[in-house]
Amino acid sequence: MATSIKLPDELKERVARVVKGTEQSVHAFMVAAIRVETERAEARRRFHADALAARAAFRATGLGYALSDIEAHYRARLHGRKTRRPKPKVWPK
């Protein structure tokens, strides 16, 4: 699919300077940059959707973990101590 992008002259010059002396073309640089930013935007959307789903599950069940329990668990694991996973608590609505 052919696409045309109108870039400001200043940005065109910056991209040309970045790829100069490399084996990458300006086109390849722009494709890679668009790919990276697209993947980042998709990940951000997934993160947001996951957060909304977690909030909905918490509101529906009232089950959640105390931050202090999670911190203590991971601190112990980081120091090589065996520890049981924290148990969820029912939080007031």
Side-chain angles (χ1 to χ4, degrees):
M1 171 171 72
T3 301
S4 175
I5 299 175
K6 298 202 183 304
L7 299 174
D9 289 337
E10 181 265 340
L11 182 57
K12 284 186 218 177
E13 291 167 6
R14 288 173 59 198
V15 170
R17 280 194 306 269
V18 167
V19 299
K20 186 177 182 179
T22 71
E23 297 200 12
Q24 190 175 34
S25 67
V26 170
H27 174 79
F29 178 86
M30 289 190 293
V31 168
I34 292 169
R35 179 178 292 114
V36 166
E37 193 54 36
T38 300
E39 290 167 357
R40 190 176 297 158
E42 290 168 342
R44 198 170 25 252
R45 282 184 175 216
R46 284 190 305 272
F47 178 79
H48 188 251
D50 290 348
L52 292 176
R55 182 174 66 178
F58 173 74
R59 286 182 172 169
T61 65
L63 286 175
Y65 296 90
L67 178 59
S68 59
D69 293 345
I70 299 297
E71 287 174 337
H73 173 70
Y74 281 104
R75 195 170 290 115
R77 302 258 331 253
L78 284 170
H79 289 98
R81 295 189 303 268
K82 289 190 177 185
T83 178
R84 291 183 183 214
R85 293 178 73 177
K87 293 186 179 180
K89 300 176 180 186
V90 178
W91 295 88
K93 291 188 178 192

